[in-house]
Amino acid sequence: MTTPILQFGTSRFLQAHADLFVSEAMEAGKALGPITVVQTSGDPARAGRIGALSAPEGFPVIIRGLEEGQPVERALRVRSVVRALSTASDWTEVRRVFVEEARVVISNTGDKGYALVEGDSVDGVPRSFPMKLLALLHARFRGGGMPLTILPCELISRNGEVLRHLIVDLASRHVPDATFVSWLSVRVIWGNTLVDRIVSEPIEPAGAIAEPYAIWAIERQAGLTLPCEHPCIRLVDDLTPYERLKLHILNLGHTVLADRWLTDCRPDGECVKDILADAAIRSELEVIYREEVVPGFRRHGLGAEAEAYVATTLERFLNPYLDHRLCDIAGNHTEKIVRRIIGFKDWCPDVAMPKLSAIAAR
C-alpha cells in the first residue's frame, strides 16, 4: 500500500496526536492516506513497538480527562499506520518510501533530535537525524525531485525554519551541488508548527493514554500540503500568538507550580493535580493568571484569547486521570524561568508582575 505520509519517530505523543488525527480523518475520507512510521534511534528497547504500530487491528489510544468540567473517557483504535520501519535495519526501504511515496514528512525526534554527530556523513546510514534527512532528501532530488512538505513537531520555536537552515547548511558542506541546495529551499516546504497534547502514559507495546485537549497549529504558506483535515489541526497565518499562549500560560503555570514545589520541599511524587488540591496554591496561581498574565496579553491585543486559554489550562491541570509529576516539570528549572517567566516580563515591560518577579528573582 502506498503511504503518502512518512513519519520519523515512534513516540507515544505522535501515536496520540498525528497518528490519531490521520486515522480519524481516513475514516471520514479526509486524509492523504496512511502512514509509514520510521524509528530513527535504533533503540533495541523499542524494537517491539515497530511491529505493534502497524498491526492490522491498529493500536489503542485512550482519551481521559475533563471536558467542560465533566470527566470523559474514550477508547479509540488508531489504524493509520500500515508500515513500520527502522533506519537501523530497513534503510533501503526507508529511502525507497521517501523517494517514491512520501508527500508529507512528519518528525518528532525528541529534545536532542537536531543534534549532530561528529564525523557523520551522508554515506551509508547516517547516525544523526539531520544527516539521515539530508541523505534522504538528496536521494529524492536525484530520483526526480518531486515537491515535498516537511512538518517538524519538535518543541522548537519556528521549527520548520530551524530545520531548513540546518539542512541547507549541511547540504552546502556535504553535498556541494548548488542545484540541490536551491531545490531544498524552493521545492521543499518547511512548515512551522506548534503541537500541544499531554500524553501521560504509554500502552505497551504500542498505544497511549492522553488528555482530551489537542492542537496542531501549522503556519500557512504557499505550496504546503496537509496530511489530513481534522478539527484539531489549525492552519493559521501566524504561529506567534499560539506560541506565546502556550509558553506564557501553560508552560509558565507549570513553572510557577514547580517553583512552589521546590521552595516548600513538597513530596517527591506529587503531581500537578495534587498540588492544586491545596486551595492556597491554586488561588495564588489563579491570581497570577488574572492579575499579571492576562493583563500582559491584553497589552498585545490577546486578552480574550488569554482568558479562554487560562480556563482551558486550569481544566487540564485538574485532570484527575493525569499523573504529571512536578519532579519532571522541575527539570532545568532555571532555564525554564528564563524562557517562560523572564521572557514574559520582557515581552510586557510595562505590566506590574510582583509575584512573577519574585519567582524570577529566586
Side-chain angles (χ1 to χ4, degrees):
M1 182 180 293
T2 299
T3 54
I5 304 169
L6 183 59
Q7 172 182 306
F8 290 98
T10 63
S11 68
R12 67 178 188 249
F13 171 79
L14 284 176
Q15 293 171 45
H17 193 266
D19 297 345
L20 174 59
F21 298 165
V22 173
S23 182
E24 292 178 328
M26 285 176 63
E27 293 177 3
K30 296 183 177 181
L32 288 180
I35 301 170
T36 289
V37 166
V38 179
Q39 182 193 42
T40 61
S41 67
D43 182 358
R46 295 188 175 185
R49 187 179 295 176
I50 295 295
L53 282 170
S54 58
E57 67 273 16
F59 57 84
V61 169
I62 298 173
I63 304 299
R64 287 180 181 157
L66 299 176
E67 287 183 335
E68 299 181 355
Q70 299 300 312
V72 298
E73 178 166 342
R74 295 188 291 272
L76 309 170
R77 300 295 297 187
V78 175
R79 296 183 174 87
S80 54
V81 178
V82 298
R83 185 192 290 127
L85 306 170
S86 168
T87 56
S89 57
D90 307 305
W91 180 246
T92 300
E93 179 67 358
V94 170
R95 184 171 54 202
R96 186 198 67 77
V97 175
F98 193 99
V99 171
E100 298 178 7
E101 297 185 12
R103 293 175 59 193
V104 172
V105 170
I106 299 167
S107 71
N108 185 262
T109 54
D111 294 340
K112 298 181 180 179
Y114 293 178
L116 300 175
V117 176
E118 187 174 354
D120 205 3
S121 74
V122 294
D123 298 326
V125 182
R127 289 177 286 170
S128 69
F129 170 67
M131 199 66 82
K132 287 182 174 79
L133 182 58
L134 174 61
L136 293 168
L137 285 164
H138 192 228
R140 187 179 179 97
F141 170 73
R142 289 181 298 171
M146 291 294 290
L148 184 69
T149 292
I150 297 179
L151 298 175
C153 297
E154 289 81 12
L155 298 178
I156 298 171
S157 180
R158 314 297 297 172
N159 46 20
E161 293 173 13
V162 170
L163 187 58
R164 175 172 61 83
H165 286 308
L166 175 58
I167 298 300
V168 168
D169 178 65
L170 287 174
S172 66
R173 291 187 282 121
H174 293 273
V175 189
D177 180 338
T179 306
F180 172 55
V181 173
S182 174
W183 177 83
L184 288 173
S185 297
V186 175
R187 300 288 279 173
V188 179
I189 305 301
W190 306 82
N192 292 310
T193 79
L194 178 142
V195 298
D196 190 6
R197 167 168 258 173
I198 298 172
V199 183
S200 57
E201 299 176 53
I203 298 174
E204 299 297 344
I209 299 173
E211 66 172 339
Y213 180 88
I215 186 173
W216 190 2
I218 301 171
E219 198 167 72
R220 192 188 314 273
Q221 60 174 296
L224 183 137
T225 299
L226 294 177
C228 64
E229 294 179 29
H230 190 276
C232 293
I233 297 178
R234 299 183 192 175
L235 192 61
V236 302
D237 293 326
D238 184 7
L239 273 184
T240 304
Y242 295 87
E243 292 177 334
R244 290 288 185 180
L245 288 166
K246 182 182 178 186
L247 181 64
H248 299 315
I249 295 179
L250 178 78
N251 298 149
L252 179 146
H254 276 148
T255 294
V256 167
L257 295 175
D259 191 76
R260 184 62 180 267
W261 179 79
L262 289 166
T263 301
D264 293 354
C265 299
R266 296 177 69 91
D268 287 346
E270 190 168 44
C271 297
V272 170
K273 62 186 177 185
D274 303 322
I275 197 170
L276 286 176
D278 184 320
I281 293 177
R282 177 173 174 177
S283 176
E284 180 179 9
L285 178 62
E286 291 174 342
V287 168
I288 289 173
Y289 278 148
R290 183 174 63 251
E291 298 182 4
E292 302 185 20
V293 172
V294 171
F297 277 94
R298 193 172 291 124
R299 286 287 202 278
H300 294 276
L302 295 168
E305 292 85 347
E307 288 179 348
Y309 195 78
V310 164
T312 297
T313 296
L314 288 170
E315 186 171 69
R316 296 171 72 187
F317 284 176
L318 294 169
N319 184 344
Y321 306 108
L322 183 62
D323 293 327
H324 202 178
R325 297 187 306 164
L326 286 154
C327 62
D328 296 330
I329 295 170
N332 301 314
H333 186 57
T334 300
E335 176 187 333
K336 290 175 180 176
I337 286 177
V338 171
R339 293 189 64 247
R340 300 171 178 185
I341 294 178
I342 296 177
F344 183 61
K345 285 166 53 63
D346 291 343
W347 189 51
C348 311
D350 56 343
V351 177
M353 302 181 188
K355 294 184 181 295
L356 291 176
S357 295
I359 295 172
R362 284 199 288 270

